[in-house]
Amino acid sequence: MSAKSKLGIPDPETRISRRPPLRQSARGLARRALETLSAVRPKHWDALRLSFSHSRRFLTPSVPTSQHLNQVMGWLRNAQDATGSGGVSWGYRSRAAIRSGEAVGWQPAYPETTGYLIETFLRYGRMMQDPDCLDRARRMAEWETTVQLHDGGIPGGTFGAQPVASSTFVTGQVLFGWLRAFETWKGQNYFDAACKAADFLVSCVDEEGRFTRGYSHFCEPGPKAYEVRTGWALVLAGLMLGKPGYFNAGRKITGFTLSCQKPNGWFSQNDLNNNSTPLTHTIGYALEGLLEVGLILNETACLEAVSTTLSQIKSLVHRDGFLAGRWSADWEPAATWCCLTGSCQLASVSFRAHRIYPNEGFDELGKKLLGFVASTQKLGRANPGLMGGIHGSYPFQGEYGQYCTLNWAAKFYADAIMDFFSESREHFEPNGSMLSNTPGHVNSQR
């Protein structure tokens, strides 16, 4: 520091350094103006139309039908076809920020979500007696074996994204797919891939159930409460592959997530980048993992943890089914938009929790959440990248998956509809018609 600075007289450099905020402010205003103008570019017209149409005043909560499910599965087929590899596209981007370098249209294949989409395609394919869906699931499982890294893990991000490094959460989600593929087709390659993936996961977890390495480069580092969904995959792997070490690691991960839950049902260390206001998406991941591990192990603590959080969420959902996309530790909304993925996940968990706690109103919670998402789905055949899919946020310009239609939103929406039909004792005939209150309803097992 110079003598002038010590006396409180700013150096020339100091005076100069005070100017950039003004220039930056002007640049920010100019950039925002350009962003606004970019909305009218022809390639952004779909995004503009959707943004104008997204008003809750015009929404009427919908009861999901066979059309809703068939069209979202049709969108997912388009997403797989768009890559030409067997993997499923990350999603469809309708608008890109200026100078972002992001391409509008179908995005590259996404290993993480392709992994757990295998389960969804198998479930729907069996329910509908649709051999095409079953074959698509097999192609996804085969493609995943081609992207597995030498350490057994699966890289984060879309295919080709840098840096290429194994991610524990991503690996856990692909493990689900390989387990179901092995269960279905008995291929040794699926068994071997699943074991390598599970070995990698076990090597990354400590005695407290925290992942100490293998953090994704595409979110903030550190252990995550939502990794209990990976713990669920390890518990399944231990049972299906006869490996007690996997099973024990999964239980430890579950214990860590339970330690992150506060008495009011909120979870700490439970977001991709902002642990103080986690997404309903990551809250949904945490509840999914706890519910399924609780059911497998008959662990009352896991099931009661799910009930505690759902009971809080019941009071937060608007009459039309809207649920804010982020929540602070005292369950105050931290977003003005809805994360549609999270609402689908919470709906699915609610339907399944209702079977354990039939008097808590969780079935009605699920119907409200799912009904809101169903009312945002665009049905038709105009743009295969948009029609039938589920957007990142509602409204479309919301911060999560902004201006995008996401494959994992579609996956959890399809799962929630199938859970809804199962809960309602309704099922499909192979021709796509739906029968109500009939015996032999769809098995809800994923």
Side-chain angles (χ1 to χ4, degrees):
M1 180 180 290
S2 70
K4 287 185 177 181
S5 296
K6 291 178 182 178
L7 292 172
I9 303 171
D11 285 328
E13 293 84 357
T14 306
R15 290 196 296 270
I16 292 171
S17 69
R18 291 177 181 174
R19 294 176 184 171
L22 295 175
R23 290 200 298 268
Q24 289 169 4
S25 177
R27 284 199 297 267
L29 287 171
R31 187 179 184 88
R32 285 193 289 274
L34 287 172
E35 286 287 2
T36 302
L37 288 172
S38 77
V40 301
R41 297 174 67 185
K43 70 177 182 178
H44 291 164
W45 283 352
D46 280 333
L48 185 64
R49 281 193 290 267
L50 282 171
S51 296
F52 279 140
S53 70
H54 278 196
S55 170
R56 286 169 59 195
R57 290 176 298 172
F58 305 135
L59 283 185
T60 301
S62 303
V63 177
T65 67
S66 58
Q67 183 184 20
H68 291 88
L69 179 58
N70 291 336
Q71 289 223 357
V72 77
M73 291 302 298
W75 184 91
L76 284 166
R77 294 182 211 236
N78 291 335
Q80 185 181 31
D81 291 343
T83 71
S85 65
V88 181
S89 168
W90 177 95
Y92 187 90
R93 189 183 303 280
S94 300
R95 178 175 168 185
I98 59 171
R99 289 197 273 177
S100 67
E102 296 169 331
V104 172
W106 289 109
Q107 303 300 299
Y110 198 30
E112 175 187 331
T113 56
T114 296
Y116 56 37
L117 272 164
I118 294 169
E119 294 184 288
T120 302
F121 270 75
L122 286 173
R123 184 182 182 189
Y124 178 84
R126 288 166 180 155
M127 185 174 74
M128 298 296 292
Q129 299 178 32
D130 185 341
D132 176 65
C133 269
L134 300 178
D135 183 63
R136 286 174 178 276
R138 182 190 56 77
R139 285 159 47 200
M140 292 177 204
E142 291 289 339
W143 178 76
E144 291 285 10
T145 64
T146 70
V147 301
Q148 188 172 32
L149 301 179
H150 69 278
D151 61 3
I154 302 294
T158 56
F159 182 70
Q162 299 296 322
V164 176
S166 292
S167 161
T168 54
F169 187 77
V170 173
T171 304
Q173 309 325 297
V174 176
L175 179 56
F176 281 111
W178 281 327
L179 291 174
R180 296 308 181 196
F182 176 66
E183 181 181 55
T184 303
W185 295 291
K186 311 302 181 188
Q188 186 66 36
N189 58 331
Y190 304 135
F191 179 91
D192 293 341
C195 287
K196 284 179 63 179
D199 287 340
F200 165 73
L201 292 171
V202 171
S203 74
C204 295
V205 69
D206 67 11
E207 287 300 312
E208 301 299 319
R210 301 169 299 189
F211 283 106
T212 57
R213 62 187 183 88
Y215 302 138
S216 172
H217 291 280
F218 300 92
C219 63
E220 289 295 318
K224 310 287 188 182
Y226 62 77
E227 285 271 22
V228 69
R229 203 175 199 277
T230 304
W232 169 26
L234 279 170
V235 167
L236 278 179
L239 292 174
M240 293 177 64
L241 307 179
K243 303 275 189 175
Y246 304 161
F247 182 89
N248 293 334
R251 294 194 68 168
K252 290 176 184 176
I253 296 166
T254 303
F256 170 70
T257 298
L258 287 173
S259 75
C260 292
Q261 190 181 40
K262 306 304 179 186
N264 68 354
W266 187 85
F267 293 90
S268 63
Q269 301 184 66
N270 194 41
D271 192 66
L272 305 170
N273 298 304
N274 189 352
N275 287 328
S276 63
T277 55
L279 287 160
T280 53
H281 176 36
T282 49
I283 295 170
Y285 273 148
L287 295 185
E288 284 181 296
L290 288 173
L291 178 66
E292 299 299 338
V293 172
L295 289 172
I296 294 169
L297 303 182
N298 196 26
E299 288 279 1
T300 302
C302 293
L303 301 177
E304 289 182 349
V306 173
S307 177
T308 297
T309 303
L310 290 181
S311 295
Q312 286 284 351
I313 290 172
K314 271 197 310 182
S315 64
L316 307 176
V317 180
H318 292 220
R319 184 176 300 177
D320 63 359
F322 177 90
L323 179 67
R326 287 189 177 277
W327 294 89
S328 65
D330 55 358
W331 288 111
E332 288 295 321
T336 58
W337 39 267
C338 175
C339 173
L340 297 176
T341 306
S343 288
C344 291
Q345 291 170 275
L346 293 172
S348 193
V349 171
S350 297
F351 292 135
R352 297 172 74 77
H354 173 67
R355 298 168 195 167
I356 310 162
Y357 301 102
N359 300 317
E360 297 298 323
F362 294 151
D363 57 336
E364 291 304 315
L365 171 61
K367 290 174 184 176
K368 286 176 69 176
L369 291 167
L370 183 58
F372 180 84
V373 180
S375 70
T376 73
Q377 185 187 15
K378 301 297 182 183
L379 303 177
R381 302 184 181 278
N383 182 334
L386 292 172
M387 293 300 107
I390 300 299
H391 307 136
S393 293
Y394 190 93
F396 201 36
Q397 60 268 29
E399 293 176 13
Y400 185 77
Q402 190 175 54
Y403 301 122
C404 293
T405 309
L406 307 173
N407 83 22
W408 58 100
K411 176 258 188 323
F412 287 114
Y413 179 62
D415 287 346
I417 293 177
M418 288 188 278
D419 283 335
F420 167 67
F421 288 145
S422 177
E423 183 59 38
S424 303
R425 300 186 67 84
E426 297 171 333
H427 78 286
F428 284 106
E429 288 295 288
N431 63 8
S433 63
M434 187 173 68
L435 303 180
S436 302
N437 300 317
T438 54
H441 59 282
V442 178
N443 188 327
S444 65
Q445 184 179 354
R446 291 189 177 94

